[in-house]
Amino acid sequence: MATAAEQWVLVEMVQALYEAPAYHLILEGILILWIIRLLFSKTYKLQERSDLTVKEKEELIEEWQPEPLVPPISKDHPALNYNIVSGPPSHNIVVNGKKCVNFASFNFLGLLDNPRVKAAALASLKKYGVGTCGPRGFYGTFDVHLDLEDRLAKFMKTEEAIIYSYGFATIASAIPAYSKRGDIVFVDRAACFAIQKGLQASRSDIKLFKHNDMTDLERLLKEQEMEDQKNPRKARVTRRFIVAEGLYMNTGTICPLPELVKLKYKYKARIFLEESLSFGVLGEHGRGVTEHFGISIDDIDLISANMENSLASIGGFCCGRSFVIDHQRLSGQGYCFSASLPPLLAAAAMEALNIMEENPGIFSVLKEKCKRIHKALQGISGLKVVGESLSPAFHLQLKDSTGSREKDVKLLQEIVNHCMDRSIALTQARYLEKEEKCLPPPSIRVVVTVEQTDEELERAAHTIKEVAQAVLL
Amino acid sequence: MRPGPGGCCCRRPLRANGCVANGEVRNGYVRSSAAAAAAAGQIHHVTQNGGLYKRPFNEAFEETPMLVAVLTYVGYGVLTLFGYLRDFLRHWRIEKCHHATERKEQQDFVSLYQDFENFYTRNLYMRIRDNWNRPICSVPGARVDIMERQSHDYNWSFKYTGNVIKGVINMGSYNYLGFARNTGACQEAAAKVLEEYGVGVCSTRQEIGNLDKHEELEKLVASFLGVEAAMAYGMGFATNSMNIPALVGKGCLILSDELNHASLVLGARLSGATIRIFKHNNMQSLEKLLKDAIVYGQPRTRRPWKKILILVEGIYSMEGSIVRLPEVIALKKKYKAYLYLDEAHSIGALGPSGRGVVDYFGLDPEDVDVMMGTFTKSFGASGGYIGGKKELIDYLRTHSHSAVYATSLSAPVVEQIVTSMKCIMGQDGTTLGKQCIQQLAENTRYFRRRLKEMGFIIYGNEDSPVVPLMLYMPAKIGAFGREMLKRNIGVVVVGFPATPIIESRARFCLSAAHTKEILDTALKEIDEVGDLLQLKYSRHRLVPLLDRPFDETTYEETED
């Protein structure tokens, strides 16, 4: 029977155990223990191999030599020695002791030394002192701030405005307040540095389109749409933004806003506009690029501009619908965590706004002057004019680059210096060459203001022509 | 910026720091035996480095009482439940919606902001929103006029009644030395410059916005700080966020205090360097990170770090703590790291000659590689600066984002800084600046001591003019702010996300402009409101010693 047979086997085994020699049993015991050990031990030990002794660590620490905090700068770095302006940087400016007509400051409307603006600022200074000693949340909100926000919103014909204490920080804080990691921002290649920093802070996906090229933008939007169809769940939470400038700081060109608005609705992407150059310049009343194209401001989700150009004060603002703008009051980092704008600067901006509203003719005067110098500067040997004829800030670039940026910059600087000697104050557009996403070619930036007389404009154009001829030929 | 809501009551177990006074070690405010053991470790540590400190370093963070912590969580729980309930009612249009809504044409766009932020704002912040953004209409001096406002829709919108609440005692503005004034030398000088220069500059430093005034200011700042050179910027926040990226980049390591200000965090992020966080003011944590960083190098590639930059602040504005600078400098030297010191709150407010935390500890400014600070607070102006070696400043003059792309400082603002700084340095021929510094130090000691005697839990260093008073519970944030305003005192209250979720607090900022009388009035009212709202959580009552001179540091614990 099977069970009997099994019992026999068991008995035999026990018997064999008794009969086996001791050394055999010991060997087998050791083998069993070895198998168990192998089963429960790790295959290898990383620790043993990589652990450093205290002494080794100390040696490593001793050995490590950091790079210097900053690399040395050569004494003749083009940006090291600043021009020194004595006195106000207004229409007539004293640069390095030389008296010049100012073609370099963004004082488009000549409000920098306007007596009314100064009087308003002075009155505010006498009431509030200089600083605010706190952020907006903690007793840093002054009645002047509220009034200015109100006035700006009314001026732009929108619901709400929010002011920042620094022009650069305005768009750089506004973008990351909405656009977060995973969101997608379509942005023009020529976008200014503040936008670039805002985008970097937002950690969103950035898609660059060719400057003012709407077909390229549409191509990117379409690509994204295809992507979205593949993954509709992700698409439902991915915000899309288009960021553009009204007048581009780096090129002096105007954005094709009507096309942008069309694309906005077609592809459901919100538009953020940076209008630092176009606010107080374009449009019949200086409301900027929306007024210029006759587009309702409600079609633009957010407009940001600084108050440092046309308004000739300090700071910046964003405006739009309350639904959009109000969010920044808790999420705009440069708004929440920074001291508020000194009231005297807010008062100056407000008075400047008053002057703009009272003299709408000022904008057409500015446009006339832009056109005049634009025309006068055509056909200079070796230099080309880059930028729209209605832009009060445009660029003069070398027609033929020497091939090295350094040499180009030197040549242009020579032109600037000679013009300065002949009492025309100009400046090169400065960039951080390594930091810019798409570095614009070196250029001289010419700025037109309403204070420049026709005679001065002609003289400036004439001087630039002559100097360029002498330097470049 | 502070960490998110992840913090819990045990996140910060106990930070009772021992103190070394005249070579002898005294205990902090410690009660339970477990805590005492933890503190013993701290004391041991301090004794080790005791030689580094030339003055007593008293800093205390009393543990949150367990019951209070539990009740605070319950409070948030109830608020959240009610939030959901009201959101439900709003959804079914039973409760009227007050908040702004998306345009009809854009309803099908992806929603502009996230839901949680919204939920918190809608249901928690909105209930007590009247405690923030209170508009003022006078100089932010020792007393301030506040515009009265009312809300008929539970804080969704405010209406200004046109009345002004006059002479509110201002315990909220960062007017440490009392230079926020509309009369006197600073105002007169600023007015003169305003008439000459106007307010704007309309260009950047590198282009054509470098005024002679800026050069004058920078020379003065350098001599004030005792460094080779300095550079000034138009905004304090941007000084950090736009210059840190110029100093470090990929392959560099930033070691940042967990409670560093948002601007430092942003600057660090924009730089592209790797960021590691150490525990607030905890030197063991910093040393471990330094050691590991050098020994193990960069993750994955194992290359050594190019350089290591330590980011710390002088005074932490929410905590009232002072950086353990002597120890930080010792570590920085030992491990060859660089030190970036943000003196936004400490410059002017600390040290026998008002030169900030370096002066306070009697250290050499040369040992700090990057001295950063702002003009907003002690100088009553706006903007920020960086001081250091000439090579550093030359590099920043060519590579700072701010110098290339941002409009430079307004001339009248510069003049305010110059005049107030000269006053602090005694260059105006008066001892006014010296008196202000002394007054602030006295006010700080007095105010902190009195609050502790009353039994409030007060955070921070005994010399820090930033005084956080713990409120903990969300309902008390609103109640405290309102009750104080009712008694004509303006205070700052802060809750999540500016603090860990259970550590809501009120914050007082002392000023040299506060007279003893003002402080006594404020203290009396705080005492009253403290009783009313049961805020006297401290379990370590101090014996009130009324006639004690302010500079003696003999805090003793009593047994009850």
Side-chain angles (χ1 to χ4, degrees):
Chain A
M1 286 204 8
T3 43
E6 272 171 22
Q7 270 172 357
W8 263 113
V9 172
L10 213 69
V11 171
E12 269 174 29
M13 275 171 73
V14 173
Q15 224 163 17
L17 206 67
Y18 279 118
E19 282 165 15
Y23 73 88
H24 186 92
L25 283 179
I26 291 167
L27 195 73
E28 280 204 9
I30 289 172
L31 278 174
I32 288 167
L33 283 177
W34 184 252
I35 289 168
I36 291 171
R37 192 180 163 232
L38 279 179
L39 277 176
F40 287 95
S41 74
K42 281 181 194 150
T43 40
Y44 61 91
K45 272 189 184 163
L46 193 74
Q47 289 290 308
E48 272 170 5
R49 269 187 281 165
S50 67
D51 248 12
L52 296 166
T53 62
V54 176
K55 196 165 165 257
E56 279 173 322
K57 280 186 184 177
E58 267 168 18
E59 276 170 12
L60 279 170
I61 290 168
E62 196 59 40
E63 262 170 41
W64 182 65
Q65 277 304 329
E67 285 181 7
L69 181 60
V70 289
I73 290 289
S74 74
K75 281 256 170 334
D76 53 343
H77 189 285
L80 183 58
N81 301 305
Y82 296 168
N83 292 317
I84 296 180
V85 175
S86 337
S90 50
H91 177 48
N92 289 306
I93 186 170
V94 181
V95 190
N96 302 330
K98 278 173 262 175
K99 206 174 157 209
C100 299
V101 180
N102 192 346
F103 280 86
S105 310
F106 296 112
N107 178 20
F108 303 133
L109 303 179
L111 296 175
L112 193 124
D113 56 353
N114 186 297
R116 272 179 66 186
V117 174
K118 281 184 185 173
L122 196 63
S124 171
L125 172 66
K126 288 197 169 141
K127 185 170 177 203
Y128 302 101
V130 175
T132 59
C133 290
R136 286 290 293 265
F138 305 153
Y139 303 97
T141 301
F142 285 58
D143 47 356
V144 198
H145 295 136
L146 299 173
D147 292 345
L148 178 59
E149 284 176 352
D150 224 36
R151 284 295 314 276
L152 282 165
K154 286 220 176 79
F155 179 80
M156 292 300 282
K157 296 197 166 163
T158 179
E159 287 176 10
E160 194 165 336
I162 179 170
I163 52 176
Y164 283 78
S165 54
Y166 203 43
F168 189 96
T170 313
I171 189 73
S173 293
I175 293 175
Y178 304 100
S179 185
K180 307 282 180 194
R181 200 192 284 274
D183 295 338
I184 300 168
V185 189
F186 300 89
V187 61
D188 194 293
R189 267 177 179 281
C192 65
F193 197 71
I195 293 180
Q196 294 172 33
K197 287 292 125 179
L199 293 175
Q200 197 189 338
S202 75
R203 304 193 264 187
S204 311
D205 291 343
I206 294 150
K207 312 234 160 167
L208 293 168
F209 59 88
K210 284 188 204 138
H211 178 50
N212 271 350
D213 186 340
M214 291 301 108
T215 45
D216 196 41
L217 172 60
E218 184 152 22
R219 178 184 63 83
L220 287 172
L221 285 164
K222 258 198 192 124
E223 265 174 28
Q224 187 54 42
E225 201 180 34
M226 307 262 272
E227 199 70 29
D228 287 350
Q229 278 162 359
K230 273 187 220 154
N231 195 350
R233 272 186 64 187
K234 194 178 161 210
R236 267 203 298 278
V237 293
T238 308
R239 286 173 279 257
R240 273 142 292 180
F241 301 93
I242 301 172
V243 179
E245 279 179 71
L247 274 174
Y248 282 88
M249 182 72 151
N250 292 353
T251 60
T253 44
I254 193 167
C255 71
L257 195 60
E259 282 83 3
L260 281 172
V261 172
K262 259 183 230 154
L263 290 176
K264 162 189 164 160
Y265 286 110
K266 194 167 169 196
Y267 294 96
K268 302 200 191 334
R270 296 168 195 273
I271 298 185
F272 286 2
L273 263 188
E274 216 298 319
E275 290 223 64
S276 288
L277 280 193
S278 49
F279 171 78
V281 170
L282 292 185
E284 204 183 327
H285 301 92
R287 292 197 187 103
V289 71
T290 43
E291 195 187 24
H292 177 79
F293 284 111
I295 280 173
S296 158
I297 194 158
D298 281 345
D299 285 331
I300 311 300
D301 293 83
L302 179 137
I303 286 180
S304 132
N306 68 30
M307 306 192 282
E308 294 163 355
N309 300 342
S310 286
L311 292 178
S313 182
I314 302 282
F317 70 93
C318 285
C319 66
R321 299 187 67 248
S322 292
F323 173 73
V324 179
I325 299 300
D326 205 42
H327 182 64
Q328 280 179 58
R329 295 196 193 272
L330 289 175
S331 309
Q333 285 215 334
Y335 178 87
C336 296
F337 296 105
S338 159
S340 52
L341 185 68
L344 75 100
L345 299 173
M350 195 137 59
E351 191 61 27
L353 209 57
N354 286 340
I355 295 172
M356 271 166 61
E357 275 189 328
E358 287 163 26
N359 314 292
I362 201 171
F363 306 108
S364 54
V365 172
L366 182 63
K367 249 164 251 165
E368 273 313 302
K369 290 187 194 281
C370 294
K371 274 190 194 141
R372 178 181 282 270
I373 193 164
H374 223 267
K375 213 166 127 196
L377 281 173
Q378 297 298 331
I380 305 179
S381 46
L383 285 182
K384 61 179 175 195
V385 179
V386 176
E388 222 96 18
S389 68
L390 48 72
S391 168
F394 56 90
H395 298 258
L396 297 173
Q397 288 173 6
L398 289 174
K399 261 185 196 147
D400 308 298
S401 165
T402 55
S404 119
R405 189 173 177 99
E406 207 178 323
K407 269 189 197 154
D408 289 358
V409 169
K410 266 204 180 123
L411 272 179
L412 290 173
Q413 191 55 43
E414 214 175 311
I415 298 178
V416 169
N417 291 345
H418 282 297
C419 286
M420 213 88 99
D421 287 338
R422 297 171 65 171
S423 72
I424 300 293
L426 288 171
T427 177
Q428 283 198 63
R430 304 277 190 185
Y431 304 101
L432 286 174
E433 298 177 8
K434 285 187 190 128
E435 310 270 332
E436 286 276 354
K437 265 230 157 75
C438 312
L439 182 64
S443 66
I444 297 173
R445 199 191 293 112
V446 183
V447 179
V448 185
T449 75
V450 289
E451 286 179 308
Q452 292 154 1
T453 61
D454 291 350
E455 184 260 316
E456 282 166 340
L457 289 168
E458 293 297 336
R459 187 157 68 82
H462 188 70
T463 311
I464 295 170
K465 247 180 205 175
E466 273 187 11
V467 169
Q469 202 137 31
V471 171
L472 297 176
L473 294 182
Chain B
M1 204 165 35
R2 294 304 214 97
C8 69
C9 62
C10 38
R11 192 185 69 91
R12 189 184 310 157
L14 182 83
R15 284 189 272 121
N17 301 314
C19 65
V20 184
N22 313 321
E24 131 198 36
V25 178
R26 284 205 204 95
N27 210 333
Y29 319 100
V30 183
R31 180 49 59 95
S32 73
S33 61
Q42 287 268 358
I43 291 158
H44 174 68
H45 174 66
V46 174
T47 332
Q48 264 185 345
N49 292 320
L52 296 172
Y53 289 90
K54 290 176 186 147
R55 59 185 304 147
F57 189 79
N58 286 327
E59 215 165 275
F61 298 89
E62 194 176 320
E63 198 180 10
T64 309
M66 184 53 88
L67 182 67
V68 176
V70 171
L71 285 175
T72 307
Y73 278 117
V74 171
Y76 277 103
V78 171
L79 275 169
T80 311
L81 272 178
F82 267 87
Y84 280 118
L85 179 70
R86 295 185 66 176
D87 272 2
F88 175 79
L89 294 178
R90 284 185 197 118
H91 184 252
W92 294 101
R93 314 262 158 160
I94 300 168
E95 189 183 318
K96 216 175 127 196
C97 270
H98 296 284
H99 51 89
T101 45
E102 179 79 283
R103 283 173 80 202
K104 274 219 182 71
E105 294 89 328
Q106 289 181 222
Q107 295 281 6
D108 53 345
F109 280 45
V110 177
S111 73
L112 187 57
Y113 24 86
Q114 277 154 5
D115 222 33
F116 175 74
E117 279 174 51
N118 254 338
F119 179 85
Y120 183 83
T121 314
R122 210 165 42 228
N123 296 307
L124 279 77
Y125 170 69
M126 204 48 89
R127 287 165 172 263
I128 49 171
R129 189 160 85 120
D130 55 314
N131 290 293
W132 292 277
N133 300 305
R134 284 177 181 155
I136 67 174
C137 50
S138 71
V139 184
R143 285 179 186 271
V144 68
D145 298 342
I146 295 183
M147 289 163 75
E148 193 184 62
R149 52 182 187 175
Q150 279 177 345
S151 179
H152 299 292
D153 51 4
Y154 304 99
N155 290 347
W156 285 94
S157 67
F158 290 105
K159 286 211 166 56
Y160 295 95
T161 58
N163 297 337
V164 172
I165 313 170
K166 289 233 177 226
V168 176
I169 294 177
N170 182 1
M171 304 296 298
S173 295
Y174 308 129
N175 177 24
Y176 298 124
L177 291 180
F179 280 108
R181 295 179 61 188
N182 59 358
T183 52
C186 292
Q187 187 270 104
E188 280 160 27
K192 218 172 127 215
V193 169
L194 194 157
E195 297 207 48
E196 193 190 341
Y197 284 80
V199 298
V201 185
C202 294
S203 189
T204 68
R205 293 292 298 278
Q206 286 207 357
E207 287 173 1
I208 205 152
N210 178 47
L211 304 181
D212 45 1
K213 284 274 151 213
H214 296 136
E215 301 268 331
E216 180 192 342
L217 172 68
E218 287 172 354
K219 282 201 188 91
L220 185 71
V221 172
S223 79
F224 177 70
L225 297 173
V227 294
E228 287 174 9
M231 187 162 184
Y233 305 93
M235 182 194 196
F237 185 96
T239 308
N240 281 332
S241 61
M242 292 165 88
N243 284 308
I244 295 173
L247 299 175
V248 286
K250 219 165 166 269
C252 301
L253 177 69
I254 288 177
L255 297 179
S256 170
D257 191 290
E258 63 177 335
L259 298 185
N260 272 344
H261 188 252
S263 56
L264 289 164
V265 176
L266 180 65
R269 265 196 212 156
L270 289 178
S271 73
T274 307
I275 305 164
R276 287 183 189 158
I277 312 288
F278 61 91
K279 286 260 171 324
H280 174 56
N281 229 353
N282 185 327
M283 293 305 120
Q284 287 103 319
S285 169
L286 174 62
E287 182 162 17
K288 184 170 183 307
L289 285 180
L290 277 166
K291 212 183 250 172
D292 286 354
I294 298 172
V295 171
Y296 298 111
Q298 299 186 34
R300 294 196 16 249
T301 62
R302 297 286 167 218
R303 295 232 178 112
W305 294 102
K306 286 184 186 159
K307 50 195 166 192
I308 300 176
L309 185 68
I310 304 171
L311 299 184
V312 290
E313 286 185 49
I315 292 180
Y316 289 84
S317 68
M318 285 295 163
E319 237 53 23
S321 48
I322 296 178
V323 63
R324 299 175 156 270
L325 195 62
E327 289 173 73
V328 177
I329 288 181
L331 285 179
K332 154 213 133 88
K333 282 185 178 161
K334 186 172 168 199
Y335 294 97
K336 290 174 266 187
Y338 299 107
L339 178 59
Y340 186 110
L341 174 65
D342 176 345
E343 295 220 65
H345 287 268
S346 52
I347 192 71
L350 274 188
S353 56
R355 284 166 169 83
V357 67
V358 178
D359 186 26
Y360 174 77
F361 287 114
L363 300 165
D364 185 357
E366 289 246 322
D367 287 336
V368 181
D369 300 280
V370 189
M371 300 262 272
M372 179 272 167
T374 66
F375 301 127
T376 317
K377 285 131 192 160
S378 297
F379 304 100
S382 76
Y385 65 80
I386 282 185
K389 292 244 159 46
K390 190 166 181 307
E391 300 90 75
L392 169 77
I393 302 304
D394 277 353
Y395 184 79
L396 288 178
R397 278 168 89 89
T398 51
H399 288 82
S400 161
H401 299 180
S402 183
V404 187
Y405 296 102
T407 305
S408 26
L409 270 165
S410 160
V413 175
V414 170
E415 192 60 24
Q416 161 84 18
I417 305 165
V418 169
T419 322
S420 56
M421 198 174 277
K422 278 186 177 161
C423 181
I424 297 171
M425 293 165 85
Q427 283 186 10
D428 61 342
T430 67
T431 53
L432 204 76
K434 199 101 196 152
Q435 283 165 21
C436 286
I437 293 165
Q438 214 149 20
Q439 185 67 48
L440 177 66
E442 267 173 56
N443 286 353
T444 303
R445 290 282 179 101
Y446 176 70
F447 192 75
R448 276 185 167 267
R449 195 192 76 216
R450 287 287 307 275
L451 285 182
K452 271 184 196 153
E453 284 168 0
M454 288 175 194
F456 293 106
I457 295 189
I458 304 294
Y459 272 10
N461 194 293
E462 62 171 7
D463 284 322
S464 145
V466 179
V467 187
L469 181 152
M470 302 311 289
L471 303 173
Y472 299 110
M473 295 169 205
K476 290 185 181 180
I477 305 175
F480 189 76
R482 287 174 194 155
E483 286 297 326
M484 290 310 282
L485 187 62
K486 234 188 253 170
R487 290 162 170 78
N488 238 26
I489 296 168
V491 298
V492 166
V493 283
V494 269
F496 175 80
T499 67
I501 197 145
I502 70 156
E503 291 183 18
S504 304
R505 59 196 71 173
R507 188 183 63 181
F508 308 104
C509 288
L510 292 160
S511 163
H514 291 141
T515 59
K516 176 115 192 314
E517 183 209 337
I518 288 182
L519 288 184
D520 282 335
T521 318
L523 283 164
K524 191 182 126 258
E525 303 293 357
I526 294 167
D527 192 27
E528 210 179 295
V529 176
D531 285 329
L532 183 73
L533 302 178
Q534 303 191 349
L535 293 172
K536 299 180 176 174
Y537 299 116
S538 178
R539 289 161 296 176
H540 316 298
R541 292 287 154 101
L542 295 159
V543 184
L545 289 177
L546 290 173
D547 301 320
R548 188 161 51 186
F550 87 96
D551 56 350
E552 240 179 70
T553 55
T554 45
Y555 289 101
E556 257 126 83
E557 227 182 278
T558 52
E559 297 294 332
D560 40 13

